[in-house]
């Protein structure tokens, strides 16, 4: 930590939907910013125009809003460092790239694609482990380090295509202290002369993100582990540009792994497993292919955020359910894991179930009524509340209440034969017939407590213990040997329907 006010940024590329790993990165940035009273920026890194996907930026904005991650500065809210799209900042990057060339820290490279391919082929044939454009190979290529000054000038003035490459010095150790991984040391021989400015005049990620982070006063760069190999080069760029004293602190987050822990989580894994890895549903504008979203699958945003927060971090306690406010208070880099985190969709469902159980019955009833209506079932507000109360502890998603309540709207046409064989005996038949007769003459309130009382009295009268009849009674009412509270189920069904079901079971079984 520094005395400087914390400023973090989430900087996605609009190349498609936001992966769960990206969402977690945004979430950790947000938690840290809010915990420290700092600011969180959103910056759209769209320098790779070839990979730009229409609709992706709006998707990012909508996804963050759905999850409750609010942005202090960005393309949707503005701010003192606008614009927040890198494509709109194009001209400023060239100035920094040219400055590095002037100072001998970068150079013009005129190599054609064919020349680059030939260079790689030569290195591969020579069994060089990594075919890189580096301190050795650059001396055999077409660039301003190998060409006479006049020749370089002539090529530039003629409009010949070129890129600007960073000039990595040999025999140099690059060190930085990662907030999660500790000290990282990389020798410059492991780094190639990355392109900083492309032939179309657009900066690469490496240049643009360093310039923007500096100009926007970013104090902490919190991003995925996949950027760790690029970090030494970024540290060098801060040094080359004279900004090393104000360089942000780095924190590289662990990967999200496949459910079995073998390899990085991908869209293909999600497709094969039938689970979402994107916050919102995404329709590919080219193919029309639809990818599942947590929102559309019925997950609550707060449950999704809670699940993602604990993928690679824990509070050091037994607590698992955290509100956003509790996450903000508890978050720390010290407890972020170095190793990858398995993406366990069953755990995500469990989180959603916990949040669902905590919801108000009336609120959930308003959510299920349209779902029933879509199936042609009209229910009153009171019925919806009763059904929600009956089933909410048994489902993971609101939509499942509709399926789980099917037995309330149609009498059983068949009965669980395993339960029939074990529990449907002479006592069961006699007891259920007696209960139907008792209900026929009962004209009081048909509530769960009264039903239980009537059942107990009837069984006592005919000399059958209640425990001997309960599973058979459930079978007669629902067709199954298991299910939610039977007395409440009978209350929802109403006296007439319960009697019909009891008598049909006696007749059929």
């Amino acid at each position: 930590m520094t005395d400087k006010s914390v400023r973090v940024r989430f900087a996605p590329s609009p190349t498609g939907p936001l992966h769960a790993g990206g969402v977690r990165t945004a979430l950790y940035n947000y938690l840290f910013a809010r915990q420290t009273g700092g600011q969180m920026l959103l910056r759209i890194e769209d320098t790779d125009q070839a990979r730009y996907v229409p609709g992706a930026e709006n998707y990012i904005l909508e996804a963050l809003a759905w999850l409750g991650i609010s942005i202090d500065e960005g393309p949707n809210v503005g701010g003192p460092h606008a614009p927040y799209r890198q494509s709109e900042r194009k001209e400023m990057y060239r100035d920094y790239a040219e400055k590095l060339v002037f100072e001998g820290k970068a150079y013009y490279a005129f190599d054609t694609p064919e020349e680059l391919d030939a260079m790689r082929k030569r290195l591969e044939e020579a069994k060089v482990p990594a075919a890189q454009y580096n301190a050795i190979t650059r001396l055999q290529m077409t660039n301003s380090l190998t060409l006479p000054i006049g020749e370089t000038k002539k090529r530039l003035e003629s409009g010949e295509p070129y890129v600007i490459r960073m000039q990595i010095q040999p025999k140099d150790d690059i060190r930085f202290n990662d907030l999660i991984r500790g000290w990282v040391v990389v020798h410059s021989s492991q780094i190639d002369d990355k392109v900083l400015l492309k032939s179309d005049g657009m900066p690469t990620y490496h240049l643009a993100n360093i310039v923007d982070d500096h100009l926007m006063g970013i104090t902490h760069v919190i991003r995925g582990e996949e950027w760790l190999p690029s970090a030494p080069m970024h540290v060098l760029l801060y040094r080359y540009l004279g900004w090393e004293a104000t360089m942000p602190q780095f924190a590289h987050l662990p990967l999200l792994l496949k459910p079995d822990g073998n390899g990085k989580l991908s869209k293909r894994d999600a497709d094969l497993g039938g689970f979402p890895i994107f916050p919102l549903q995404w329709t590919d504008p080219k193919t029309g292919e639809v990818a599942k979203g947590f929102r559309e699958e019925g997950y609550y945003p707060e449950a999704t955020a809670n699940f993602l927060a604990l993928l690679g971090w824990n509070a050091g306690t037994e607590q698992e359910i955290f509100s956003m406010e509790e996450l903000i208070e508890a978050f720390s880099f010290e407890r972020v894991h170095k190793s990858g985190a398995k993406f366990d969709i069953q755990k995500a469902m469990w989180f959603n179930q916990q949040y669902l159980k905590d919801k108000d019955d009336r609120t959930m009833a308003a959510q299920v009524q349209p779902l029933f209506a879509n199936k042609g079932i009209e229910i009153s507000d009171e019925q919806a509340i009763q059904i929600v109360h009956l089933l909410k502890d048994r489902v993971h998603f609101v939509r499942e209440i509709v399926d789980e309540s099917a037995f309330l709207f149609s009498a059983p046409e068949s009965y669980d034969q395993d339960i029939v064989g074990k529990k449907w005996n002479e006592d069961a038949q006699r007891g259920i017939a007696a209960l139907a007769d008792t209900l026929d003459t009962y004209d009081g309130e048909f509530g769960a407590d009264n039903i239980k009382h009537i059942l107990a009295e009837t069984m006592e009268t005919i000399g059958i213990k209640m425990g001997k009849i309960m599973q058979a009674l459930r079978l007669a009412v629902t067709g199954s040997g298991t299910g939610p509270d039977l007395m409440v189920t009978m209350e929802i069904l109403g006296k007439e329907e319960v009697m019909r079901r009891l008598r049909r079971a006696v007749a059929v079984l």
Side-chain angles (χ1 to χ4, degrees):
M1 292 291 293
T2 66
D3 294 334
K4 208 172 171 184
S5 175
V6 165
R7 286 173 64 79
V8 299
R9 72 351 181 235
F10 179 53
S13 298
T15 55
L18 196 56
H19 185 280
V23 177
R24 186 193 60 177
T25 296
L27 178 62
Y28 284 6
N29 273 279
Y30 176 76
L31 297 179
F32 183 61
R34 293 294 172 263
Q35 184 185 81
T36 56
Q39 291 89 41
M40 178 169 174
L41 287 68
L42 174 66
R43 189 172 69 229
I44 303 299
E45 302 206 333
D46 57 350
T47 57
D48 191 344
Q49 292 292 291
R51 296 180 62 220
Y52 177 82
V53 175
E57 181 180 325
N58 286 336
Y59 178 97
I60 292 166
L61 298 175
E62 188 179 350
L64 295 180
W66 178 69
L67 285 158
I69 298 174
S70 57
I71 302 300
D72 300 306
E73 297 177 30
N76 55 329
V77 293
H81 301 284
Y84 292 91
R85 292 183 191 90
Q86 288 187 334
S87 59
E88 298 171 7
R89 303 165 65 85
K90 177 178 173 180
E91 290 310 315
M92 73 171 68
Y93 303 120
R94 174 175 291 280
D95 292 340
Y96 291 101
E98 296 284 1
K99 176 178 182 288
L100 290 175
V101 173
F102 178 77
E103 294 175 352
K105 297 167 184 172
Y107 56 93
Y108 302 110
F110 301 95
D111 313 286
T112 65
E114 292 75 20
E115 289 173 325
L116 291 170
D117 287 340
M119 180 265 287
R120 293 189 192 99
K121 189 175 179 182
R122 285 197 308 274
L123 293 175
E124 287 167 5
E125 289 174 351
K127 308 294 184 186
V128 175
Q132 294 182 331
Y133 200 124
N134 57 25
I136 297 172
T137 56
R138 67 188 177 213
L139 300 178
Q140 300 151 17
M141 303 301 289
T142 311
N143 54 58
S144 57
L145 300 179
T146 59
L147 295 170
I149 294 175
E151 176 68 14
T152 297
K153 185 178 179 184
K154 182 180 174 182
R155 287 178 180 242
L156 292 173
E157 289 174 348
S158 70
E160 183 175 336
Y162 68 89
V163 298
I164 293 179
R165 288 183 178 273
M166 184 177 179
Q167 185 173 346
I168 304 296
Q169 298 301 323
K171 300 180 182 178
D172 187 12
D173 280 335
I174 299 97
R175 302 168 179 268
F176 66 95
N177 192 13
D178 189 278
L179 292 172
I180 296 168
R181 298 161 195 283
W183 281 101
V184 176
V185 183
V186 176
H187 193 268
S188 60
S189 61
Q190 303 300 308
I191 307 171
D192 57 342
D193 290 1
K194 294 286 189 201
V195 173
L196 300 179
L197 198 74
K198 294 178 281 189
S199 57
D200 62 0
M202 289 295 282
T204 60
Y205 168 84
H206 305 293
L207 176 65
N209 106 85
I210 296 303
V211 170
D212 285 343
D213 283 348
H214 174 75
L215 296 180
M216 294 179 180
I218 301 303
T219 60
H220 297 77
V221 171
I222 306 164
R223 59 189 180 186
E225 181 184 316
E226 62 270 23
W227 292 110
L228 189 57
S230 300
M233 196 194 82
H234 297 166
V235 171
L236 276 182
L237 268 176
Y238 278 107
R239 186 188 302 172
Y240 284 8
L241 289 164
W243 302 334
E244 197 169 10
T246 58
M247 183 176 74
Q249 291 183 266
F250 292 99
H252 289 90
L253 307 175
L255 292 174
L256 294 189
L257 305 176
K258 300 172 191 279
D260 63 6
N262 294 316
K264 186 178 178 182
L265 180 70
S266 69
K267 178 182 178 296
R268 186 170 183 275
D269 299 316
D271 291 341
L272 291 173
F275 58 83
I277 59 166
F278 303 128
L280 315 179
Q281 183 174 288
W282 169 260
T283 302
D284 190 296
K286 289 184 179 178
T287 66
E289 181 186 1
V290 177
K292 291 182 177 183
F294 275 91
R295 181 179 67 182
E296 289 73 16
E297 287 297 294
Y299 289 86
Y300 290 114
E302 57 270 38
T304 306
N306 196 157
F307 165 64
L308 291 173
L310 269 66
L311 285 178
W313 170 85
N314 67 74
T317 66
E318 296 298 313
Q319 182 177 350
E320 290 190 280
I321 304 300
F322 289 84
S323 66
M324 189 67 86
E325 290 72 26
E326 288 173 323
L327 285 173
I328 289 168
E329 184 177 348
F331 181 76
S332 69
F333 290 113
E334 289 78 12
R335 299 206 65 85
V336 175
H337 309 159
K338 295 182 180 68
S339 57
K342 291 181 186 179
F343 192 85
D344 183 355
I345 198 63
Q346 298 301 321
K347 192 67 175 181
M349 293 169 62
W350 178 85
F351 273 108
N352 207 66
Q353 186 178 48
Q354 306 315 304
Y355 279 86
L356 186 150
K357 286 179 180 179
D358 203 40
K359 296 288 181 184
D360 173 72
D361 288 352
R362 188 170 295 277
T363 301
M364 285 182 62
Q367 295 172 351
V368 300
Q369 278 180 298
L371 302 180
F372 277 113
N374 289 341
K375 293 209 168 197
I377 302 171
E378 296 296 332
I379 56 174
S380 67
D381 293 350
E382 191 55 41
Q383 284 176 314
I385 292 171
Q386 285 182 308
I387 293 170
V388 163
H389 186 72
L390 176 69
L391 295 171
K392 68 187 292 187
D393 287 351
R394 302 177 62 84
V395 299
H396 293 97
F397 306 101
V398 170
R399 58 179 161 77
E400 291 178 340
I401 290 175
V402 178
D403 297 329
E404 291 288 324
S405 64
F407 70 91
L408 295 173
F409 300 97
S410 58
E413 295 180 0
S414 61
Y415 300 88
D416 185 328
Q417 289 304 304
D418 186 49
I419 303 300
V420 171
K422 292 178 180 177
K423 299 295 181 180
W424 193 265
N425 52 35
E426 187 179 331
D427 279 351
Q429 187 161 332
R430 187 163 62 92
I432 287 170
L435 178 61
D437 291 340
T438 303
L439 292 177
D440 197 17
T441 60
Y442 177 73
D443 59 1
E445 182 184 349
F446 198 69
D449 290 339
N450 287 347
I451 296 168
K452 188 174 183 179
H453 181 68
I454 293 166
L455 175 63
E457 282 196 338
T458 302
M459 294 307 107
E460 185 176 356
T461 300
I462 63 175
I464 297 176
K465 292 183 179 180
M466 276 183 61
K468 296 279 189 180
I469 197 178
M470 290 307 295
Q471 207 166 9
L473 176 59
R474 182 183 294 280
L475 183 76
V477 174
T478 69
S480 172
T482 60
D485 190 299
L486 183 57
M487 301 302 127
V488 176
T489 297
M490 293 167 72
E491 176 184 340
I492 294 172
L493 288 170
K495 188 181 85 166
E496 297 302 322
E497 178 63 19
V498 169
M499 285 194 304
R500 273 194 296 272
R501 295 190 182 195
L502 296 182
R503 285 180 170 147
R504 182 178 186 278
V506 170
V508 171
L509 295 175

